[in-house]
Amino acid sequence: MGGSRGWVSDKVAIVTGAGGGIGSATARLLAQEGATVVLTDIDETSGNAAAAAIRDAGAAAEFMRQDATDPKRWNEVVAEVTRRHGRLDILVNNAGIQITRGLLETSLEDWRRVLSINAEAAFLGTQAAIKAMLPQGTGSIVNLSSNYGIIADALNAAYCASKAAVRHFTKAAALDCAARGTRIRVNSIHPGCIDTAMLEREIVDVAAKRGPGTIDAVREEWRRMAPLGIGTPEDIGWAVVYLASDRSGYVTGAELVVDGGQIIR
């Protein structure tokens, strides 16, 4: 563990969608920097494996199964975390999905599923965390949006809408917490192209539509989207660590873009 020198020493954190990719990297870095981390995911196998890997490295982590769209489960998870550890200091709303298809090919079911997992889950988690943090009057909530919450993409109408909702909801939640006289901070992070299983699925899907032998060309297109190329889950995880720590104590309602320069090119 990070011990007394860790950026989030002695804090208690929940990270949703923590079974892989950005979620597991974020959980690992928070634990490395001294936090006790509760990883949640709907996938028990990957979630347990990610928590075990953190414990094997000598840090504090545990796993709880959670469907982030279930309000009842949110209340249960937060209640159990505060019962076990006495408090909740950090929530990372990371769970999310992406369905890439044209607007006319996007069904109402697709739209509702993406909005439910990406936007409604962030609302539920933020609300539950604020209630748990109110007694201490401090805390940090980090909502994972996307650079597609700022710029748009023709094949991702539902995803863009959901991440834009997270972006603006975060600001409203930050104002609400400040109006209540607390130091509970709410910020959003906006990743670009990050080397995760989600990105790989996008590359494979696009290549499948174009035909055999195109996957390398598609991957190169994704790499060229940002001046700095494709990022790593740890690039996002370290941004979370900063916003979760007391070093960002005067930062709330902010949007931290971590996309290798994609939206400014």
Side-chain angles (χ1 to χ4, degrees):
M1 292 176 60
S4 60
R5 293 172 296 175
W7 277 49
V8 287
S9 289
D10 303 320
K11 295 184 184 294
V12 178
I14 295 174
V15 181
T16 70
I22 291 171
S24 62
T26 295
R28 175 169 48 81
L29 293 175
L30 286 170
Q32 176 183 308
E33 290 299 313
T36 296
V37 184
V38 179
L39 296 79
T40 81
D41 204 295
I42 201 166
D43 184 337
E44 293 186 58
T45 301
S46 63
N48 274 309
I54 292 172
R55 291 194 298 272
D56 288 346
E62 56 197 65
F63 172 74
M64 296 178 67
R65 186 184 185 282
Q66 180 186 19
D67 176 350
T69 67
D70 182 349
K72 180 181 177 183
R73 187 58 180 152
W74 265 113
N75 291 333
E76 292 170 347
V77 167
V78 171
E80 182 62 17
V81 169
T82 55
R83 186 191 69 79
R84 292 181 188 178
H85 304 290
R87 59 190 292 124
L88 175 64
D89 301 289
I90 300 162
L91 170 66
V92 184
N93 278 312
N94 169 73
I97 63 168
Q98 184 171 1
I99 298 177
T100 301
R101 56 190 60 156
L103 179 59
L104 299 184
E105 291 72 39
T106 300
S107 67
L108 181 57
E109 181 183 358
D110 293 334
W111 175 272
R112 287 174 172 168
R113 182 164 180 252
V114 172
L115 268 290
S116 175
I117 296 173
N118 292 358
E120 288 183 15
F123 160 73
L124 293 171
T126 299
Q127 190 177 64
I130 290 171
K131 290 176 182 177
M133 294 171 177
L134 279 176
Q136 68 219 30
T138 61
S140 175
I141 299 168
V142 182
N143 293 324
L144 269 292
S145 179
S146 168
N147 63 359
Y148 277 2
I150 302 172
I151 58 176
D153 178 74
L155 295 177
N156 278 284
Y159 184 77
C160 290
S162 71
K163 293 303 187 178
V166 170
R167 176 193 184 197
H168 218 56
F169 163 71
T170 296
K171 298 177 186 302
L175 290 173
D176 182 275
C177 289
R180 294 175 189 274
T182 77
R183 299 291 288 192
I184 300 170
R185 300 177 296 106
V186 192
N187 294 288
S188 60
I189 292 179
H190 300 256
C193 295
I194 305 298
D195 187 13
T196 63
M198 181 184 289
L199 177 61
E200 185 62 21
R201 285 194 298 271
E202 293 296 309
I203 292 171
V204 170
D205 286 348
V206 172
K209 294 173 184 175
R210 293 187 184 178
T214 61
I215 192 165
D216 288 341
V218 172
R219 185 170 285 111
E220 180 63 13
E221 288 176 15
W222 281 91
R223 189 188 68 78
R224 290 181 178 179
M225 282 186 181
L228 298 185
I230 294 174
T232 69
E234 288 74 18
D235 290 326
I236 309 304
W238 282 119
V240 174
V241 169
Y242 166 68
L243 289 175
S245 76
D246 294 339
R247 288 167 170 84
S248 61
Y250 196 55
V251 180
T252 195
E255 50 192 59
L256 178 52
V257 178
V258 188
D259 74 344
Q262 181 180 349
I263 68 171
I264 63 169
R265 65 178 313 157

